Amino acid sequence: MVRVMEDKKALLPALLAVMALGWVVGWATSSEKSEYAIVAFAFGAVFINIYFSHLEKRGIVLEDERTLRINEIASRRTLQVTSMGLAVALLALSGKTSNPKMEGAFIAVGLVLAVMLMLHLLFRHYYSRVM
């Protein structure tokens, strides 16, 4: 029980970093300084990554094999549902390309689908060589 409380307390700096990141991004977007939001997001991501690596070196287990597998399955299903939704949207917009507003949406949805397919193929090729 003591170890679990210790592990949860170890996550406090990461939580504070995310809260600070949310505040900075909110301030930056409301004052139309989006470059600050991008820089804050990058610093926050680097800090959290380094901090989690530090926790793993100390022996604090954040994810075990079961949670990693659950995340893999959930990510796969999320991508499948999203790509099917985008495909249906692409089909629905295909008949309305005569409207200039719909043509932009059609192109955007098509590009997102194409990028998702290319990323999937690239990652699949990469991991088939690495694993």
Side-chain angles (χ1 to χ4, degrees):
M1 180 69 174
V2 174
R3 178 72 176 168
V4 173
M5 290 300 291
E6 191 177 300
D7 290 353
K8 288 186 179 187
K9 285 181 183 178
L11 294 176
L12 188 61
L15 176 65
L16 293 174
V18 170
M19 290 173 58
L21 175 64
W23 180 80
V24 170
V25 169
W27 167 79
T29 54
S30 68
S31 59
E32 298 179 3
K33 297 179 180 178
S34 59
E35 60 274 359
Y36 291 142
I38 294 169
V39 171
F41 188 80
F43 278 130
V46 168
F47 170 76
I48 290 172
N49 190 12
I50 291 171
Y51 184 69
F52 281 174
S53 296
H54 170 71
L55 289 179
E56 286 179 6
K57 288 177 186 173
R58 283 183 41 200
I60 296 175
V61 177
L62 299 174
E63 290 183 325
D64 59 2
E65 293 82 15
R66 181 177 177 271
T67 56
L68 287 174
R69 184 68 179 137
I70 290 170
N71 283 333
E72 288 174 5
I73 294 169
S75 297
R76 181 178 174 93
R77 293 295 177 246
T78 301
L79 285 174
Q80 287 172 341
V81 168
T82 302
S83 61
M84 290 303 294
L86 287 172
V88 169
L90 190 66
L91 290 173
L93 291 171
S94 66
K96 299 178 174 83
T97 55
S98 59
N99 185 348
K101 292 180 184 177
M102 294 298 167
E103 184 178 357
F106 177 77
I107 292 170
V109 171
L111 285 174
V112 169
L113 274 172
V115 169
M116 281 179 62
L117 176 64
M118 291 304 296
L119 281 174
H120 177 74
L121 292 174
L122 288 172
F123 283 135
R124 189 177 167 129
H125 176 72
Y126 172 76
Y127 286 115
S128 69
R129 298 180 125 207
V130 172
M131 298 177 106

